[in-house]
Amino acid sequence: MPAAKKYDLVLYGATGFTGTLAVKYLTSQYGTSINWAIAGRSKDKLEKLSTTHGGDCDILVADSLDEKGLTAIIKKTKVVASAAGPFARYGTLLVSLCAKLGCDYCDITGETNWVREMIALYDDVARATKARIVHHCGHDSIPWDLSAYLLANKLSEEFNGEKVKKFDFYDDIKSAPSGGTLETAFAIMFGKEKAYKFTEQKKLGYDALLKTPDGSKSAHSMKSRNVDLLNLSKSSSLPHRSFFFMAPVNANAVKRSNALNGYGNLTYTEGQSFPNIFATIWYILGYAVYGFCIYLPPLRFIMRKFILPKPGQGPSEEYMNSGYLHVLGVAKGENGNTVKSTMSFSVDPGYKDTARMLVESALALSVSEVECGGGVFTPGACQKEVLLDRLLETGTEFKYH
């Protein structure tokens, strides 16, 4: 019989912006009612964080490339929750070791190509060791992934097993990026991560997101047709939409869940919603100016040097408390029937509630009963209703229309 693990959860990357918020959440929500520790590469920063926000919780030190140190951490815990991005840069060894050692793992990545590589490399390994590797356990992409899962189930229950033909999502959101998020985005667009080959996924011969437990390509396909610029609503009950920066990531998370859960052969469309056409156009103009500044190297340098937040920095507490997210989802079935839902978050979803989502995703695996074997998953294909219940108990709202 394997030795009992000391910790229910170890938070890796705890000293970053989102990691610090997760420490605050763990301290205020759970205190000493669960066994947890924080981990990262800087002992001094971890000690300061533990004293200031962690209630003097245990600290574990290991760099993201320190195989021996990471192994020692993994052997002490039931689940690792990682906030240490960019994940293509810092996350691969940790995922590899969790998969090989049979330890559950959650992260908040939005890096889809890296997720594809993790599936290609470690899905079979994790199934053999029964490790549950779950990506997208934050704002990227729990609200959409869980909503799609719930809508597909509702459609099937209400209409005699009807499959989904189309998902439509309308995102009403107030949030702002942190330095870490921008660092990840800039790395993918302009940094060395842009040149990553991600060679293992290509060996499969199909999109790794479609990989099933037996190694074959899923029969359940999904096309993404997210809003590119402007989608004017033809219904008085639905708002206008424009493009949403994270829609492609959310679509790919749902694509992975669909491959494993079998919602149907479907189309996915998502966009940010607005109350009127004027607000929509103003948003488009603002993003056009921002995009112009980002893609011109001299302006990008000025933005990063003097205007945008640096890694470790993010929105103020006051701003995060004024943030919100309301995700209206519509699932249309093959026979024309529809079901609708709304999932709501009452504070900033990108950071403050991402910290909560990450913690609850991890605790769903370590202290709750989740019926999911090993492999590389999304929340909608692993924690499912167990995670939904934990989120509802701690601040999220969900309803069908």
Side-chain angles (χ1 to χ4, degrees):
M1 180 178 293
K5 299 293 186 75
K6 181 177 181 179
Y7 302 112
D8 296 309
L9 178 154
V10 168
L11 177 66
Y12 188 77
T15 60
F17 185 74
T18 304
T20 298
L21 292 172
V23 170
K24 292 179 180 179
Y25 177 76
L26 276 161
T27 302
S28 63
Q29 183 70 23
Y30 295 105
T32 59
S33 65
I34 62 169
N35 297 317
W36 60 282
I38 58 176
R41 63 183 179 180
S42 172
K43 182 179 179 181
D44 290 343
K45 290 182 179 179
L46 288 166
E47 288 177 342
K48 182 178 179 181
L49 178 63
S50 175
T51 302
T52 306
H53 298 300
D56 290 318
C57 63
D58 290 356
I59 64 169
L60 307 169
V61 182
D63 185 82
S64 63
L65 297 179
D66 177 5
E67 182 172 349
K68 183 178 179 180
L70 291 177
T71 298
I73 290 172
I74 290 167
K75 288 183 175 180
K76 294 179 181 179
T77 187
K78 297 177 183 177
V79 60
V80 174
S82 179
F87 288 87
R89 189 183 303 174
Y90 301 122
T92 300
L93 180 59
L94 183 56
V95 170
S96 169
L97 293 172
C98 285
K100 292 173 182 177
L101 296 171
C103 179
D104 292 335
Y105 166 94
C106 297
D107 67 33
I108 55 173
T109 190
E111 301 162 54
T112 300
N113 275 334
W114 179 71
V115 171
R116 287 187 169 102
E117 194 76 350
M118 296 304 96
I119 294 168
L121 283 168
Y122 303 120
D123 184 53
D124 291 341
V125 175
R127 282 193 296 107
T129 64
K130 295 182 169 48
R132 295 168 295 188
I133 309 297
V134 191
H135 301 296
H136 300 300
C137 292
H139 179 251
D140 318 330
S141 301
I142 282 176
W144 297 269
D145 190 36
L146 276 188
S147 291
Y149 168 76
L150 295 164
L151 285 166
N153 283 357
K154 186 70 170 177
L155 184 72
S156 179
E157 292 168 3
E158 294 288 328
F159 302 103
N160 196 30
E162 187 170 352
K163 294 287 188 178
V164 178
K165 181 178 180 181
K166 185 177 183 182
F167 284 126
D168 267 298
F169 286 103
Y170 301 76
D171 309 334
D172 180 13
I173 183 171
K174 179 183 178 182
S175 186
S178 74
T181 297
L182 292 172
E183 177 69 15
T184 299
F186 288 137
I188 292 171
M189 291 187 290
F190 309 112
K192 61 182 181 180
E193 279 81 356
K194 184 179 180 180
Y196 283 3
K197 301 301 182 183
F198 297 115
T199 55
E200 290 302 315
Q201 59 183 285
K202 296 178 181 178
K203 295 179 183 178
L204 289 175
Y206 58 85
D207 187 346
L209 298 175
L210 299 177
K211 184 180 183 294
T212 63
D214 66 8
S216 64
K217 178 182 177 182
S218 175
H220 301 282
S221 63
M222 194 187 94
K223 297 179 180 178
S224 301
R225 293 178 179 169
N226 294 313
V227 178
D228 292 327
L229 187 63
L230 180 61
N231 177 221
L232 296 178
S233 176
K234 299 178 182 178
S235 169
S236 59
S237 63
L238 295 172
H240 304 304
R241 288 183 293 182
S242 185
F243 62 91
F244 181 52
F245 182 70
M246 297 310 301
V249 176
N250 298 330
N252 281 319
V254 174
K255 185 177 185 178
R256 177 64 177 157
S257 295
N258 181 43
L260 297 173
N261 294 336
Y263 307 145
N265 295 315
L266 58 94
T267 300
Y268 179 103
T269 302
E270 180 187 344
Q272 187 162 340
S273 63
F274 297 90
N276 56 63
I277 186 63
F278 302 106
T280 312
I281 292 174
W282 185 250
Y283 167 82
I284 293 171
L285 291 173
Y287 252 101
V289 172
Y290 179 80
F292 180 79
C293 293
I294 292 302
Y295 276 93
L296 285 181
L299 293 178
R300 182 168 69 247
F301 173 81
I302 293 171
M303 293 278 286
R304 297 187 71 178
K305 183 73 174 179
F306 300 107
I307 299 174
L308 298 174
K310 308 296 187 296
Q313 300 176 341
S316 68
E317 186 77 18
E318 181 181 10
Y319 184 90
M320 287 190 292
N321 287 336
S322 71
Y324 59 83
L325 171 66
H326 307 294
V327 176
L328 170 62
V330 182
K332 184 177 181 179
E334 295 173 326
N335 300 324
N337 294 301
T338 62
V339 291
K340 297 181 182 179
S341 69
T342 299
M343 185 174 288
S344 296
F345 299 79
S346 60
V347 297
D348 168 71
Y351 303 100
K352 193 162 188 177
D353 256 358
T354 281
R356 179 172 67 94
M357 285 185 264
L358 175 61
V359 169
E360 297 301 340
S361 295
L363 291 178
L365 297 176
S366 66
V367 302
S368 297
E369 294 293 328
V370 171
E371 296 180 4
C372 178
V376 180
F377 299 101
T378 51
C382 185
Q383 296 101 319
K384 299 178 180 177
E385 289 94 348
V386 174
L387 175 56
L388 176 68
D389 289 343
R390 296 191 70 93
L391 292 178
L392 294 178
E393 290 171 0
T394 56
T396 300
E397 296 181 0
F398 179 82
K399 64 180 179 181
Y400 294 107
H401 297 269

